[in-house]
């Protein structure tokens, strides 16, 4: 286990645990509990008592970050876990579960049945008292603890569930990944802004939409859009409008988010396509002609591709390929082993 980053006035903390190594499981839960109490604190979330079989076989790898009264845990559990039958203890928090693999079953309040969050699903609810839960082996999930102040009135007694690939959850996931990477180095102002962004995105989940005017969410929205664009670079439909539609925001909101971090949506797409085309120019085998590269990466024609490439890299594609030792290319000439090239 490794912990670091205790911040100003306990505002932040970082905890990493790995009890998946041989012979680590018997001590794994104790190490995790000590790290949680030291770096995260019972004031954020009180860890429940666990069943004897969980205590004896706690094979979990994960990381936890504290941001003021919020905590984000990324968990990968090789073993199943189960709490004691009656954990007890009062709480006042909002809990969110985003499950990518396996299942997380939560005990409901009196009069309500258990609720299972299956792979590909999320659940968010207000928690007033510790309840029992269990997880399957081979679980991959995010667990978020959020302060109740602004969220409890939105939730009331509702339990909100939905697909983990919804736009709001994708944005929240992108933000939590960024927090894990940066929280140890954030100053007080950064911690405060990060905490606010977490709460605002959780509110967006509760309301089922993204607030068009929330600037603190710009980095998370921008990152989610970039991740989506990177997966669809060769798609002729890729555009700011398509990204906005997929992320359930307006095109204006998407442009504002990119502007807030000093970028433009269309410029990002064009630069990423140029990067991929440049890599393809020096591929050890199976290189395409200039016209084929232009068509694959959605440039209007080989002339447009060549002009854009030269403007960005200072060389034409042919000059670049030559300078790196690749075979000479012309707009419609195929390299050995390929058929005729497409015309521009």
């Amino acid at each position: 286990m490794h912990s670091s980053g205790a911040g100003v006035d306990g505002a932040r903390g970082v905890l990493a645990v790995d009890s998946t190594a041989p012979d680590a499981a018997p001590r794994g839960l104790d190490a995790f509990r000590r790290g949680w109490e030291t770096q995260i604190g019972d004031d954020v979330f009180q860890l429940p008592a666990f069943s004897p079989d969980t205590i004896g076989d706690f094979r979990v790898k994960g990381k936890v970050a504290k941001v003021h009264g919020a905590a984000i845990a990324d968990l990968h559990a090789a073993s199943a876990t189960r709490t004691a039958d009656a954990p007890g203890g009062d709480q006042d928090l909002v809990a969110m579960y985003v499950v990518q693999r396996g299942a997380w079953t939560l005990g409901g309040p009196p009069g309500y049945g258990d609720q299972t969050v299956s792979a590909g699903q999320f659940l968010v609810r207000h928690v007033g008292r510790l309840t029992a839960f269990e997880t399957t082996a081979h679980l991959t999930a995010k667990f978020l603890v959020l302060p109740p102040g602004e969220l409890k009135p939105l939730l009331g007694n509702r339990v909100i569930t939905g697909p983990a690939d919804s736009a709001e959850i994708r944005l929240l996931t992108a933000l939590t990944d960024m927090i894990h990477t940066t929280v140890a180095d954030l100053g007080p102002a950064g911690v405060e802004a990060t905490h606010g962004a977490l709460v605002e995105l959780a509110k967006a989940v509760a309301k089922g939409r993204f607030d068009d005017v929330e600037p603190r969410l710009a980095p998370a929205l921008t990152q989610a859009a970039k991740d989506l664009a990177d997966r669809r670079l060769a798609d002729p439909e890729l555009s700011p409008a398509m990204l906005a539609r997929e992320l359930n925001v307006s095109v204006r909101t998407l442009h504002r988010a990119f502007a807030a971090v000093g970028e433009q949506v269309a410029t990002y797409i064009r630069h990423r396509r140029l990067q991929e085309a440049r890599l393809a120019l020096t591929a050890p085998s199976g290189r395409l002609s200039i016209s084929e590269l232009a068509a694959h990466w959605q440039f209007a024609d080989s002339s447009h591709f060549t002009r854009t490439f030269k403007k960005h890299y200072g060389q034409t594609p042919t000059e670049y390929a030559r300078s790196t030792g690749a075979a000479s290319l012309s707009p419609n000439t195929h390299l050995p082993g390929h058929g005729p090239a497409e015309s521009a």
Side-chain angles (χ1 to χ4, degrees), residues 120-134:
Q121 297 291 309
F122 80 88
L123 181 148
V124 58
R125 66 179 184 177
H126 174 255
V127 177
R129 186 171 178 81
L130 280 176
T131 55
F133 69 80
E134 61 181 88

Side-chain angles (χ1 to χ4, degrees), residues 270-292:
R270 182 172 64 254
H271 287 178
R272 285 290 294 114
R273 283 172 164 169
L274 284 171
Q275 288 171 0
E276 294 299 322
R278 183 176 65 164
L279 289 175
L281 283 169
T282 57
S285 61
R287 285 188 293 270
L288 303 177
S289 69
I290 298 297
S291 59
E292 286 178 319

Side-chain angles (χ1 to χ4, degrees), residues 274-319:
L274 284 171
Q275 288 171 0
E276 294 299 322
R278 183 176 65 164
L279 289 175
L281 283 169
T282 57
S285 61
R287 285 188 293 270
L288 303 177
S289 69
I290 298 297
S291 59
E292 286 178 319
L293 284 174
H296 182 76
W297 296 114
Q298 306 306 314
F299 290 90
D301 52 40
S302 58
S303 297
H304 177 238
F305 170 58
T306 298
R307 287 195 305 271
T308 305
F309 191 98
K310 184 173 183 179
K311 183 177 180 180
H312 190 67
Y313 292 114
Q315 295 177 299
T316 67
T318 302
E319 290 168 344

Side-chain angles (χ1 to χ4, degrees), residues 207-289:
K207 290 187 280 188
R209 63 182 176 85
F210 175 81
D211 280 333
D212 189 58
V213 296
E214 180 46 65
R216 286 176 296 185
L217 304 185
L221 175 55
T222 301
Q223 188 59 52
K226 288 179 176 180
D227 291 344
L228 180 58
D230 287 347
R231 296 194 298 269
R232 307 280 282 273
L233 282 176
D235 187 341
E237 300 299 319
L238 177 61
S239 67
M242 185 271 272
L243 292 174
R245 184 172 62 252
E246 289 287 321
L247 293 170
N248 196 27
V249 300
S250 68
V251 175
R252 175 176 172 271
T253 295
L254 186 64
H255 284 305
R256 285 179 61 200
F258 270 76
V261 297
E263 297 186 77
Q264 294 181 343
V265 188
T267 300
Y268 177 80
I269 294 172
R270 182 172 64 254
H271 287 178
R272 285 290 294 114
R273 283 172 164 169
L274 284 171
Q275 288 171 0
E276 294 299 322
R278 183 176 65 164
L279 289 175
L281 283 169
T282 57
S285 61
R287 285 188 293 270
L288 303 177
S289 69

Side-chain angles (χ1 to χ4, degrees), residues 120 122 162-173 205 208 246-248:
F122 80 88
D165 64 352
S166 68
E168 292 80 12
I169 294 295
R170 292 209 304 269
L171 287 172
L172 187 62
T173 298
V205 172
E246 289 287 321
L247 293 170
N248 196 27

Side-chain angles (χ1 to χ4, degrees), residues 26-46:
R27 305 182 303 276
L29 183 56
D30 287 341
F32 183 74
R33 188 179 294 278
R34 286 194 304 272
W36 184 284
E37 292 171 351
T38 301
Q39 297 299 319
I40 310 302
D42 284 345
D43 59 319
V44 175
F45 178 74
Q46 179 185 346

